[in-house]
Amino acid sequence: MNLFDVYPLYDVSIVRGRGCKVWDDKGQDYLDLYGGHAVISIGHSHPHYINMMTKQLQKLSFYSNSVQNPLQQELADRLGKACGYDDYQLFLINSGAEANENCLKLASFHNGRTRILAAKGSFHGRTSLAVEVTDNPKIVAPVNDNRQVTFLPLNDLEAWERELAKGDVCACILECIQGVGGIRLATKDFAQGLQEACHKYGTVLICDEIQCGYGRSGKFFAHQWLGIRPDLISVAKGIGNGFPMGAVLISPDFKPVYGQLGTTFGGNHLACTAALAVLDVMEDEHLVENAHRVGEYFLNQLRLLMETEPHIKDVRGRGLMIGIDFDIPQKEVRRKLIFNHHCFTGCASQFTLRLLPPLCLTQSEADDFIWRLKQLLKDYN
């Protein structure tokens, strides 16, 4: 049997990692500024994470949600304190797309409406509802195209208010820092105005924090830079540091109803243990603060580099979520970084690199990347 060929793969096999470095099967080390697509939050193979997961495996890896799992409530308590939403409710699932699916279902159960507003350039997942609110027609199958979604420009508050005033909008879903969309940041005026309009017209505000959240922006959630408090928050990626996990944080205004939501694997013993280990390390090593401090340094150094490197056209981001625009196709830059300079990065558009390193990145590792990028750009000068 062959694998279904849906991924364009680089000819490299990564077999181990530690911190912000990974190694291939030939022993070559790489600086990892991709973090497995923002998934690796506390660094590869953290000893505390390994220890907690090993101990849990020796006890119980899984049992169903038909019985109590005290690890779930422990995680809810810890996460609520860590992010400042201890009055919210927690629903645990397996992925980011699932988190957004459940956010949109909860919103529709809540107000009985069906229409959704999403931002142009958005990416919210590939499952049924999640892909419908993703601004990429190429990945929306005919069965998913239910014509219930209106895409509007990010930060164009007047356009969003006009749609909301029609009184039929179920939910607005927003990435406060767009990832796939090119590291585009929502403004404070837009976010606060949108929240006010949602409250006015009975619309549910959903913040998708799957990529930009969990400390990456230098606050626990990216929307916290903007002074808003959404009704629903979707999280995944960094919550489990590689173990598949997602979650929805749910406002106290939403009342649970047996049978409306459910999951087989969500919140299993290993997933909760992974998430608790992540919170331990984030707190003990002050990783949210590190993301802010090192991220500011990294952004400043990249902007200084832009002044002397004409092929860099823009640098933007917040914390350790950074976009670099080039006048060279990013596929070419990314390939050379991997095979000539041994560094992994992500991408966002035809000309944009996306940096999503583990939150433990150091200033010296940021400097190391800049040195490697300088060496690469010498080929073009």
Side-chain angles (χ1 to χ4, degrees):
M1 181 183 294
N2 292 323
L3 293 172
F4 197 46
D5 190 12
V6 293
Y7 302 115
L9 300 176
Y10 292 111
D11 187 18
V12 59
S13 177
I14 298 302
V15 296
R16 67 184 180 95
R18 189 76 169 189
C20 292
K21 280 192 173 182
V22 292
W23 283 260
D24 66 20
D25 55 359
K26 298 177 178 61
Q28 176 64 55
D29 65 297
Y30 300 77
L31 181 63
D32 183 13
L33 295 193
Y34 186 44
H37 203 75
V39 167
I40 301 300
S41 49
I42 62 172
H44 295 280
S45 302
H46 194 287
H48 179 68
Y49 181 88
I50 293 169
N51 185 48
M52 283 190 65
M53 293 293 278
T54 302
K55 286 182 176 179
Q56 185 59 47
L57 273 168
Q58 291 168 341
K59 292 188 289 186
L60 182 68
S61 62
F62 175 82
Y63 203 76
S64 82
N65 282 312
S66 62
V67 298
Q68 293 184 20
N69 176 356
L71 293 172
Q72 293 183 354
Q73 187 58 55
E74 183 182 354
L75 175 58
D77 293 341
R78 291 279 306 281
L79 179 55
K81 290 181 175 64
C83 70
Y85 284 91
D86 53 3
D87 59 332
Y88 275 44
Q89 305 156 92
L90 185 65
F91 179 61
L92 297 167
I93 52 274
N94 309 287
S95 70
E98 239 185 293
N100 283 330
E101 289 279 329
N102 283 284
C103 282
L104 293 163
K105 286 172 65 177
L106 278 168
S108 190
F109 280 131
H110 186 69
N111 58 26
R113 302 175 187 171
T114 58
R115 199 157 76 89
I116 303 164
L117 304 184
K120 291 183 177 180
S122 62
F123 186 93
H124 298 291
R126 294 177 181 269
T127 52
S128 181
L129 279 169
V131 81
E132 195 173 353
V133 293
T134 291
D135 187 22
N136 183 354
K138 293 180 181 178
I139 64 171
V140 180
V143 71
N144 304 129
D145 190 8
N146 296 310
R147 309 298 168 93
Q148 298 281 13
V149 181
T150 302
F151 291 98
L152 300 169
L154 183 68
N155 295 325
D156 185 347
L157 181 58
E158 288 185 8
W160 291 69
E161 286 178 330
R162 279 196 301 272
E163 294 297 323
L164 285 164
K166 296 176 181 178
D168 65 343
V169 177
C170 167
C172 294
I173 185 166
L174 178 69
E175 299 163 277
C176 290
I177 307 174
Q178 290 187 333
V180 174
I183 315 298
R184 306 289 176 184
L185 280 68
T187 65
K188 182 177 284 191
D189 287 347
F190 169 73
Q192 292 184 355
L194 180 62
Q195 177 176 256
E196 184 178 341
C198 284
H199 288 170
K200 180 178 179 180
Y201 296 109
T203 298
V204 174
L205 178 59
I206 302 167
C207 278
D208 178 342
E209 293 277 352
I210 290 160
Q211 188 171 142
C212 61
Y214 238 79
R216 181 155 299 281
S217 73
K219 289 187 183 289
F220 202 94
F221 291 128
H223 70 259
Q224 291 170 327
W225 288 102
L226 307 178
I228 63 171
R229 190 174 175 89
D231 301 300
L232 300 169
I233 305 164
S234 57
V235 298
K237 295 192 185 292
I239 188 174
N241 199 56
F243 196 94
M245 192 175 194
V248 180
L249 279 67
I250 304 165
S251 161
D253 295 335
F254 290 71
K255 305 306 177 188
V257 176
Y258 286 153
Q260 277 190 346
L261 305 181
T263 172
T264 296
F265 295 105
N268 67 71
H269 295 73
L270 276 177
C272 288
T273 299
L276 287 166
V278 166
L279 288 175
D280 285 345
V281 176
M282 287 178 70
E283 293 166 9
D284 291 347
E285 299 183 9
H286 309 288
L287 293 188
V288 179
E289 297 84 349
N290 186 72
H292 177 57
R293 184 179 62 256
V294 176
E296 285 293 300
Y297 173 82
F298 205 175
L299 280 163
N300 288 336
Q301 295 302 113
L302 285 166
R303 286 167 179 150
L304 287 173
L305 180 62
M306 183 172 64
E307 295 176 5
T308 60
E309 290 288 353
H311 295 292
I312 299 177
K313 297 303 178 185
D314 193 23
V315 174
R316 59 188 172 273
R318 180 167 279 147
L320 290 176
M321 188 171 182
I322 298 172
I324 309 172
D325 287 349
F326 296 88
D327 62 2
I328 309 159
Q330 58 81 10
K331 285 185 179 179
E332 189 176 329
V333 176
R334 199 176 177 202
R335 177 168 287 277
K336 287 189 175 184
L337 278 170
I338 293 171
F339 293 106
N340 297 353
H341 303 281
H342 305 122
C343 180
F344 282 103
T345 64
C347 62
S349 64
Q350 185 179 357
F351 295 98
T352 305
L353 280 190
R354 189 167 27 145
L355 306 185
L356 304 164
L359 306 186
C360 57
L361 188 80
T362 65
Q363 285 191 11
S364 63
E365 287 168 331
D367 288 335
D368 186 6
F369 170 77
I370 290 171
W371 182 86
R372 296 181 199 215
L373 183 58
K374 284 180 179 178
Q375 302 311 303
L376 183 154
L377 292 173
K378 284 180 181 179
D379 295 342
Y380 296 93
N381 294 330

